[in-house]
Amino acid sequence: MNSGPTPPEPVRHHDRGTWLVEFTGRILVVCPRCGGRALVVPLPGLPPRKYFSELLFQPRRLSCPGCGAVADRTAEQRGAGLVGAVPGGTEDPFFRRPLWLQTRCAGRVLWAYDEEHVDALTAYVGARLRERRASPTMAMFARLPAWMKSASHRDEVLAGLSTLRTLAHRSTPADRSDTAHERGDRPRHHGSLYFRGGPY
């Protein structure tokens, strides 16, 4: 007897231990001059990275295609070491500009660094089964706030992430989200130290 079609396999998410720092190579921020969308990236011409953690120490450039604003930043030096940026919160960890990708969601603020970050969060939130195969100490998904991981907020968070994806393709000051402003919620602990043997 045919019992009908087999129900689809629940969407699974395999957490390989992704760190938030892996998404800091490209960050969309609010331009300090015009309020449009600007971009924060490592300075051009740097040698290839050996480890993704080097992203926290590399010199950075903020540039706005709308008004032409440009600013450079180098890591603070402490003794013989460089102080790493600390990712997290609704400001970028280098210039401390408000993130461009922010929206209200479930009574909180949902944010991301760029489209790749949005895609990673969407894959996690949309999964019905989540498998973790790495230590949760620094893993991004394990450290997400409980409201983002709650099944009761799944649809609302996915809608918020869709809004962020749309914002990523907009760039004028008029497109700026009403949540994209200084909030002072960056992590306050000290960054790690990097002892230079290379070009930074």
Side-chain angles (χ1 to χ4, degrees):
M1 179 177 177
N2 190 349
S3 60
T6 303
E9 181 78 13
V11 177
R12 293 175 180 266
H13 182 273
H14 302 279
D15 183 5
R16 60 178 179 82
T18 302
W19 289 22
L20 179 59
V21 64
E22 296 181 50
F23 298 99
T24 61
R26 181 176 183 274
I27 303 177
L28 304 178
V29 301
V30 175
C31 174
R33 181 191 290 174
C34 73
R37 187 193 68 199
L39 179 65
V40 174
V41 295
L43 280 178
L46 295 176
R49 295 184 303 273
K50 293 182 180 179
Y51 308 102
F52 64 76
S53 57
E54 293 178 41
L55 285 165
L56 299 177
F57 305 91
Q58 290 181 319
R60 292 278 168 156
R61 173 163 293 168
L62 181 154
S63 59
C64 176
C67 70
V70 176
D72 291 344
R73 174 204 182 266
T74 55
E76 173 192 347
Q77 189 166 348
R78 186 181 299 159
L82 298 177
V83 181
V86 182
T90 59
E91 297 174 5
D92 92 89
F94 303 99
F95 294 90
R96 301 188 180 183
R97 294 299 304 156
L99 298 178
W100 181 258
L101 300 184
Q102 298 189 54
T103 189
R104 301 183 192 282
C105 182
R108 283 89 164 177
V109 174
L110 180 66
W111 57 267
Y113 286 147
D114 72 347
E115 303 96 310
E116 184 182 0
H117 192 189
V118 172
D119 289 344
L121 291 172
T122 300
Y124 177 83
V125 173
R128 302 287 171 166
L129 296 174
R130 298 165 182 166
E131 298 179 1
R132 189 170 67 210
R133 299 181 179 178
S135 167
T137 305
M138 296 298 292
M140 177 180 74
F141 298 116
R143 295 163 66 89
L144 289 176
W147 66 271
M148 283 187 67
K149 297 189 280 189
S150 169
S152 63
H153 289 147
R154 179 181 286 115
D155 291 345
E156 194 170 355
V157 174
L158 288 174
L161 289 167
S162 179
T163 297
L164 296 187
R165 188 175 290 106
T166 299
L167 276 173
H169 298 285
R170 296 179 177 174
S171 59
T172 71
D175 296 324
R176 177 179 176 177
S177 167
D178 66 351
T179 59
H181 56 80
E182 286 84 357
R183 195 171 286 106
D185 64 349
R186 292 181 71 255
R188 297 302 178 192
H189 56 279
H190 295 293
S192 54
L193 283 177
Y194 173 79
F195 293 95
R196 289 180 288 186
Y200 307 145

